[in-house]
Amino acid sequence: MKKVVVVGSINMDLVTRCKRAPKGGETLFGEEFFQVPGGKGANQAGTEVTMLGKVGKDSFGKDLINSMKESGVDTRYIEEGEKSTGIAKIIVEENGQNRILVVAGANSEVDKAYIDRHLDVIKECDIVVAQLEIPVETVAYALAKAKEFGKMTILNPAPARELDDEIIKNSDLIIPNESELALITGMPTETEKEIKKAGEKLLDMGVSNLIVTLGSKGSLLLNRETCEFHSAYKVKAIDTTAAGDSFIGGLVRELKDNNVGEAIEFATKVSAIAVTRKGAQTSIPTIEEVENFEGVKNEEK
Ligand code: RIB
């Protein structure tokens, strides 16, 4: 089985559920508040995955490490930074849509020196997964090192930002949503035709595979040989937080032993279940739950 390392963020999510989010200057009552483990990096790390990142010297940091350990994540190389643990204030509206404000805290201290201290972890793995909630220079450095050691690299370019050519060249598989793809390529991604055109630009820049996540519609796999649409399942979403993260976590787990098409089918089930539950890591299903999932596909494109 292939070894996976996730280099990324670890956050405590402070979630408020409400009918609708307040407008500027408006005060509303929420319905429910809860605190759950999150962070795009940690959300994408599952059982038998090694996590590289930083937390603060505080109770959030300790709780997050314990929760990852309980899920089977190798947390041995997570360090304590000077800043407090990263947090995300999340508002989830009745329809499941969310708004997220992240304070990076210790995630912003994941620097090149930290990567250098843990180069052996990267050398010993097969797949390196990264997102953009730690400094982009660190992501670029970690991906470059991973490529130097001949590893497979996966980048989820979220939160959305422009990227330089070097990062793109050092990513074997990029997994953006439509708006992230638009920002990276500077091209429109409103229609399927536009998405394919923008995707081809990334392939021309050296990416071997691209999976564009399309929310409730599904996802599109693009590479030099194929352009494959994978439809999503029809589910009643109550919280879309970590929908993309759970997809990537599931995908990476399956890429350990299967081809990308099969891995996408598994990942589609993982995120279908995740959006029917509250919270980030609290919504991610077990392998048994995914294997027993019997959903109906949403055939609408
Ligand atoms: O993608 C969802 C994640 O984004 C949340 O868990 C939150 O921590 C933010 O990082």
Side-chain angles (χ1 to χ4, degrees):
M1 198 189 255
K2 294 189 179 118
K3 283 192 191 159
V4 178
V5 171
V6 173
V7 186
S9 58
I10 305 166
N11 293 337
M12 186 60 89
D13 289 354
L14 309 173
V15 187
T16 306
R17 291 186 66 92
C18 56
K19 282 207 163 45
R20 68 163 178 88
K23 298 183 194 134
E26 185 183 31
T27 303
L28 291 176
F29 284 102
E31 321 256 292
E32 190 184 5
F33 171 80
F34 52 88
Q35 184 179 301
V36 286
K40 293 187 195 301
N43 294 347
Q44 292 175 22
T47 312
E48 290 170 36
V49 169
T50 303
M51 181 77 211
L52 291 183
K54 287 191 181 186
V55 294
K57 299 182 181 78
D58 47 35
S59 61
F60 279 174
K62 290 183 180 61
D63 291 350
L64 289 168
I65 290 181
N66 285 337
S67 141
M68 276 187 274
K69 269 188 197 156
E70 275 166 26
S71 309
V73 176
D74 183 348
T75 59
R76 280 177 296 165
Y77 312 100
I78 297 175
E79 292 184 5
E80 285 185 347
E82 290 311 310
K83 296 188 180 172
S84 52
T85 298
I87 61 114
K89 296 204 108 180
I90 305 184
I91 294 181
V92 185
E93 293 181 325
E94 208 171 34
N95 59 8
Q97 281 302 325
N98 61 44
R99 280 148 215 251
I100 305 183
L101 188 63
V102 175
V103 179
N107 295 308
S108 68
E109 299 177 307
V110 180
D111 54 11
K112 291 183 188 172
Y114 169 82
I115 300 295
D116 280 340
R117 282 198 289 285
H118 301 293
L119 279 183
D120 282 349
V121 180
I122 295 180
K123 268 187 200 153
E124 279 159 24
C125 79
D126 301 288
I127 305 176
V128 174
V129 184
Q131 317 73 27
L132 301 174
E133 273 186 346
I134 57 169
V136 70
E137 309 75 46
T138 311
V139 174
Y141 187 66
L143 294 177
K145 283 289 170 196
K147 284 317 299 170
E148 197 181 304
F149 303 145
K151 310 301 173 186
M152 180 187 184
T153 51
I154 301 179
L155 175 66
N156 168 223
R161 56 164 293 152
E162 285 167 15
L163 292 177
D164 64 33
D165 294 1
E166 211 47 34
I167 292 199
I168 296 172
K169 233 177 33 211
N170 284 325
S171 303
D172 296 312
L173 166 61
I174 297 195
I175 312 175
N177 61 22
E178 301 105 308
S179 53
E180 288 151 5
L181 179 63
L183 200 70
I184 299 170
T185 57
M187 292 171 73
T189 56
E190 298 289 316
T191 63
E192 198 182 325
K193 201 169 157 203
E194 287 174 350
I195 291 173
K196 283 183 190 162
K197 250 185 136 178
E200 274 156 20
K201 183 171 173 183
L202 280 189
L203 296 181
D204 288 343
M205 290 170 87
V207 176
S208 349
N209 281 292
L210 177 76
I211 300 172
V212 187
T213 54
L214 306 167
S216 59
K217 290 187 197 143
S219 58
L220 193 69
L221 165 67
L222 275 173
N223 57 37
R224 287 287 170 219
E225 289 79 48
T226 182
C227 172
E228 238 171 70
F229 176 71
H230 291 258
S231 47
Y233 288 90
K234 277 187 196 164
V235 286
K236 181 160 171 27
I238 62 154
D239 185 349
T240 56
T241 312
D245 298 339
S246 62
F247 178 92
I248 293 165
L251 182 98
V252 172
R253 186 191 181 274
E254 285 301 287
L255 279 180
K256 287 178 178 176
D257 321 286
N258 289 316
N259 70 36
V260 67
E262 287 164 332
I264 291 177
E265 282 306 309
F266 183 86
T268 304
K269 290 184 183 171
V270 175
S271 58
I273 300 173
V275 298
T276 64
R277 299 175 177 174
K278 294 177 189 174
Q281 282 160 53
T282 41
S283 71
I284 296 171
T286 61
I287 306 300
E288 292 70 41
E289 286 173 321
V290 182
E291 284 168 354
N292 294 329
F293 176 74
E294 283 176 9
V296 177
K297 286 269 186 128
N298 178 4
E299 294 307 340
E300 160 209 335
K301 267 200 185 183

